[in-house]
Amino acid sequence: MLNIILFGPPGAGKGTQSEKLIKKYNLTHLSTGDLFRKHITEGSDLGRQAQEFMDAGNLVPDSVVIGMVEEKVKNETNSEGFIFDGFPRTVAQAEALDRLMQENGSAIDMMLSLVVDEEELLKRLLNRGKISGRVDDQNPEKIRNRFAVYNNETTPVAEFYSATGKLFNIEGVGDIDRIFSRLTETIDAIV
Ligand code: AMP
């Protein structure tokens, strides 16, 4: 099993790099943002619970997120490992993930954190909003709120993994393939 957390602020390129990493290492992609958007499209109860938080750029409550991740991990019985994308976003989620991995007889191997400055992130998100129609990517004020939420609630998660030597910072600006190489060099040096 290889279990990786791909970490970083909104717009850091987690989704793009996850798609490439799952192919190379034969992993299961678990993006909580994608799962919520799927629930919203399907009109499920969970989607209704998540939508107002997402539209405002705030975090969905931990209990809702953790329950959804547990279900997904437990259903993927044949998986060779996971790339967690956009999760965990709070220390409570990180603790729940560690417990879940332990129950599964595995562990988080590393957190790869994509480092990108906020002006570049803002540019990328507004551009993505034009293409995808994502409401939370279209309004600079909502985007700034997501950066604030990231800085206040999510960055402590990096410290949580840093404490056990599992955090690796990766320069997230420049050519997509070059960033991918930086990620794979880091992974291959550890596994
Ligand atoms: P993302 O696609 O990762 O940018 O997530 C979009 C939105 O979904 C976020 O702004 C949050 O409202 C919600 N969300 C996604 N993942 C989480 C999480 N792990 N914890 C809380 N809220 C989340």
Side-chain angles (χ1 to χ4, degrees), residues 10 14 31-34 36-37 53-54 57-60 65 85-89 93 128 134 136 146:
K14 301 187 294 294
S31 156
T32 42
D34 285 354
F36 282 132
R37 281 183 287 277
F53 296 100
M54 292 176 73
N58 291 325
L59 293 185
V60 177
V65 184
D85 161 6
F87 177 88
R89 263 172 153 103
Q93 292 179 18
R128 185 168 81 182
R134 267 181 67 169
D136 59 345
R146 283 157 69 205

Side-chain angles (χ1 to χ4, degrees), residues 51-88:
Q51 182 150 30
E52 79 178 91
F53 296 100
M54 292 176 73
D55 285 350
N58 291 325
L59 293 185
V60 177
D62 284 339
S63 57
V64 178
V65 184
I66 292 166
M68 182 176 75
V69 171
E70 280 177 354
E71 194 196 324
K72 175 85 180 159
V73 168
K74 284 181 180 155
N75 284 338
E76 294 283 340
T77 44
N78 290 327
S79 177
E80 291 181 28
F82 291 89
I83 298 226
F84 294 96
D85 161 6
F87 177 88

Side-chain angles (χ1 to χ4, degrees), residues 164-184:
T164 48
K166 289 183 176 171
L167 172 67
F168 299 88
N169 288 313
I170 309 288
E171 169 69 59
V173 181
D175 180 65
I176 288 176
D177 288 328
R178 183 72 199 97
I179 299 167
F180 182 63
S181 301
R182 289 183 197 128
L183 291 167
T184 58

Side-chain angles (χ1 to χ4, degrees), residues 94-167:
E95 288 168 348
L97 179 61
D98 269 8
R99 276 196 302 275
L100 178 64
M101 291 283 107
Q102 225 169 24
E103 282 164 23
N104 256 14
S106 62
I108 294 297
D109 294 291
M110 68 194 89
M111 169 182 266
L112 302 172
S113 175
L114 290 169
V115 179
V116 181
D117 69 75
E118 281 191 9
E119 284 321 300
E120 168 72 14
L121 293 170
L122 181 64
K123 252 195 323 207
R124 288 186 190 178
L125 289 168
L126 288 170
N127 203 32
R128 185 168 81 182
K130 278 190 209 140
I131 298 161
S132 71
R134 267 181 67 169
V135 189
D136 59 345
D137 282 346
Q138 290 177 7
N139 177 333
E141 219 170 285
K142 282 186 186 168
I143 293 174
R144 295 275 183 208
N145 182 47
R146 283 157 69 205
F147 292 161
V149 169
Y150 177 79
N151 291 329
N152 295 330
E153 298 181 54
T154 302
T155 51
V157 178
E159 287 150 32
F160 179 88
Y161 289 99
S162 169
T164 48
K166 289 183 176 171
L167 172 67

